[in-house]
Amino acid sequence: MLISDARVFGSDFHFHLANVRITGDTISEVSEAAGSAVSGGAAESAASGKAAESLSALPGEKVLDAHGLTLIPGLTDIHFHGCVGVDTNDATDEVYQKMCSYQCSEGVTQICPATMTLPEERLTRIVTAAASYRQKQAASGADWHGESSLVGVNLEGPFISPDKVGAQNPDFVHAPDADWLDGLLSATGSFPKLITVAPEVPGAPDFIRRMAGKIRISVGHTSADYDAAAAGFAAGAKHLTHLYNAMNGIHHRKPGPILAALDAGDVTPELICDGIHVHPAAVRAAFRLFGPERMILISDSTRAVGMPDGEYEMGGQNIYKHDHAAYLADGTLAGSATNVYEMMVNAIRFGIPEEWAVRAATYNPAAAIGIISEYGSIEPGKKARLVLADPADGYRLVQVITGEE
C-alpha cells in the first residue's frame, strides 16, 4: 500500500511532504520531496506542493491519497489504567482485547497500561496475564488488524509514599522489594517496563541502584524534597510520574522533585494534558523547561474513558466520572477521562508547537520504554502503526493504519 502526498512527521521531528509505502505490517519506503519541509502549526494544510514522484505506485498496489492530511506515528500511551469499562487489573484476555481495540480506534497503537498499588501476588498475576495476552496477540496478528500492541506493563506502586497516595490504596503501600521485582522480570521476560518509586522511603536508594539497569524507574507519588529526589535520579531513576501531580511543587526555596528532574538532564517527565490535572499555563511551562526531547504525554485514564458519567471502580476504590474527569468520593482526582490522542490535541490547542506535541505522544514514550526500534517514528523497517489526521479540522482523526490493507 502506498500513502501518497501526505504531510509526514519525519524522523527529524519536522513535517515533510512525502509518500510512504507499507509492505505487510512494516514501513518499507519513505520518499520525501527535495525541499519539502512544511513548517507551521496544526491549522496549516498540506495541500501545497506534491510529494516526491520517485516513489510511485507499483502495478496493482493500493494507493491511499492523503493529500491535505497529516501522517504521524501511532501514539504510545505508557501510563493509563483503563477505558471503556475495563481496567488493567481485571487481567483477562477479554479485558485486554477490549482495551486494545478501543485504544487502536483512537490512534493509540501501542499501550503500556498501568497497575495500581496492590498486593505483590496480585500484581504478579496481572503482569503474567498481560504478558500472556501479548504472546497470543503477536501469534495471531491481532495487533496488525485493529488492536493496539500491548507492549508492557507500568507498575504504579506499591513502593510509594503513604503521604502521597492520591487515588492509590494506602493499605497496600510498602517498602521497595527488589527480590520480588527481580523475580517478576525474570518470569515474564521483562514485561514490566516502568515502576514508580518514592525515593525518600526506606530502602528506596538501594532498590533504585539495584534495579535501574533492568527496568525504567520513575519518581512519583512522593513527598521527596529536592535533595531526596536528586539522590534518586543519581541512583538511576530516569522518569517522573505525572509531573506536578502527587509530588511537592516548585518553590523558590524548596525546589522539590520537579527541578531535581530538570537538573538531572536525562529524566523524562510524564504530563496529563486534559486541562484539569494541569493548567494550560503549567503545560506550556513544562514544555519550555524540559524541552521537546524529554516531555511525554500520558492519559492516566480510568475505565470511565469512553463511558457515560457515573460510578466506576479503580484499584479497589469507587471513582466517579463527572465534569470530564474521575474523582474519589472526597473529590480527589483519580485519573483522567480522556485518551492520550485527545491529550495531544489539547497540548496543541494550549499553544504547544505541533511538532513538540506529536513527538511527546509518539517518539518519546516509545523511546522511554525501549520499543523505539520498532515503533514511534515513520522510518523504513518500523512497524506500520500510523495515524492520518486533519490539522485543518482540529486534528480530527481520519484513519488509523496498522499495516497493509
Side-chain angles (χ1 to χ4, degrees), residues 185-271:
L185 290 168
S186 296
T188 61
S190 296
F191 205 63
K193 304 300 181 188
L194 279 162
I195 187 165
T196 296
V197 179
E200 76 280 10
V201 302
D206 288 340
F207 173 91
I208 294 171
R209 278 189 288 270
R210 174 174 165 181
M211 302 307 300
K214 301 178 181 182
I215 185 171
R216 193 169 188 86
I217 296 177
S218 185
V219 167
H221 284 276
T222 175
S223 296
D225 60 12
Y226 176 93
D227 291 337
F233 296 129
K238 300 294 183 185
H239 202 75
L240 194 63
T241 299
H242 42 50
L243 176 69
Y244 299 120
N245 296 110
M247 65 183 63
N248 294 323
I250 299 172
H251 185 280
H252 58 289
R253 286 190 295 273
K254 299 177 181 178
I258 298 172
L259 295 191
L262 181 66
D263 284 349
D266 57 356
V267 174
T268 48
E270 305 172 346
L271 190 67

Side-chain angles (χ1 to χ4, degrees), residues 80-112:
F80 80 99
H81 296 278
C83 53
V84 290
V86 299
D87 187 281
T88 309
N89 301 323
D90 297 340
T92 68
D93 285 358
E94 292 76 16
V95 161
Y96 295 137
Q97 190 278 328
K98 190 172 184 180
M99 186 181 288
C100 289
S101 295
Y102 167 79
Q103 293 288 356
C104 187
S105 73
E106 297 294 328
V108 188
T109 56
Q110 296 78 237
I111 59 172
C112 182

Side-chain angles (χ1 to χ4, degrees), residues 4 19 44-45 64 99 110 139 162 164 186 198 235 321 336 367 386:
S4 69
N19 295 338
E44 180 181 0
S45 170
L64 176 58
M99 186 181 288
Q110 296 78 237
K164 291 286 187 179
S186 296
K321 179 185 177 182
S336 85
L386 308 170

Side-chain angles (χ1 to χ4, degrees), residues 23-73:
T23 305
D25 71 342
T26 303
I27 299 168
S28 53
E29 294 181 81
V30 179
S31 179
E32 296 174 2
S36 67
V38 180
S39 61
E44 180 181 0
S45 170
S48 59
K50 297 285 283 183
E53 297 298 334
S54 60
L55 195 58
S56 55
L58 301 173
E61 183 176 34
K62 179 179 179 179
V63 177
L64 176 58
D65 185 358
H67 190 61
L69 300 176
T70 290
L71 187 71
I72 64 174

